[in-house]
């Protein structure tokens, strides 16, 4: 590998986001994933404004916001449902909830549409 190539271990959301960041800076990324296909499973996740700032910088925020739902109030509760704290996020970007598979799919689409894959 030359100094503009990097190996990324794992093709989950962090690995794909990292690859998009590096490719925007001119790096060639080799993503190594133990599964035979890139896919994500699971339930919804919360994405807060700091993470959305990264996606905005990468130019992926439009698809993410179109697929997600805004969290206008956030409650921290005990196992029995007693409210310990309540927050109403008010930032330049919203706090959102999105299905993990949807976010993963968006990142994979951005990575494959914008950048030419490396073949060995």
């Amino acid at each position: 590998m030359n100094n503009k190539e990097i190996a990324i271990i794992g093709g989950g959301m962090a690995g794909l986001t990292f690859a998009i960041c590096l490719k925007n800076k001119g790096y060639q990324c080799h993503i190594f994933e133990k599964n035979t296909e890139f896919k994500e499973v699971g339930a919804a996740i919360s994405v807060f404004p700091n993470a959305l700032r990264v996606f905005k910088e990468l130019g992926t925020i439009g698809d993410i916001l179109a697929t997600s739902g805004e969290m206008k109030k956030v409650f921290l509760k005990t196992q029995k449902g007693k409210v310990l704290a309540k927050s109403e996020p008010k930032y330049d970007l919203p706090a959102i909830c999105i299905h993990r598979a949807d976010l993963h799919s968006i990142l994979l689409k951005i990575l494959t549409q914008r950048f030419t894959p490396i073949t060995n």
Side-chain angles (χ1 to χ4, degrees), residues 6-23 29-40 100 104 107-108 111:
I6 191 161
I8 298 173
I9 309 303
M13 287 179 284
L16 295 179
T17 302
F18 190 46
I20 293 168
C21 291
L22 291 173
K23 283 182 168 284
C29 298
H30 303 272
I31 301 173
F32 296 90
E33 171 60 40
K34 69 179 178 179
N35 296 312
T36 55
E37 352 174 351
F38 285 108
K39 64 180 182 176
E40 186 64 60
R100 293 179 64 88
H104 190 266
L107 295 173
L108 188 57
L111 191 59

Side-chain angles (χ1 to χ4, degrees), residues 32-74:
F32 296 90
E33 171 60 40
K34 69 179 178 179
N35 296 312
T36 55
E37 352 174 351
F38 285 108
K39 64 180 182 176
E40 186 64 60
V41 296
I45 61 168
S46 303
V47 182
F48 286 87
N50 283 342
L52 287 181
R53 281 186 192 90
V54 172
F55 293 131
K56 183 177 181 180
E57 179 80 18
L58 296 175
T60 61
I61 195 164
D63 289 339
I64 292 170
L65 291 178
T67 310
S68 64
E70 184 177 354
M71 294 187 295
K72 297 186 187 244
K73 292 184 182 183
V74 179

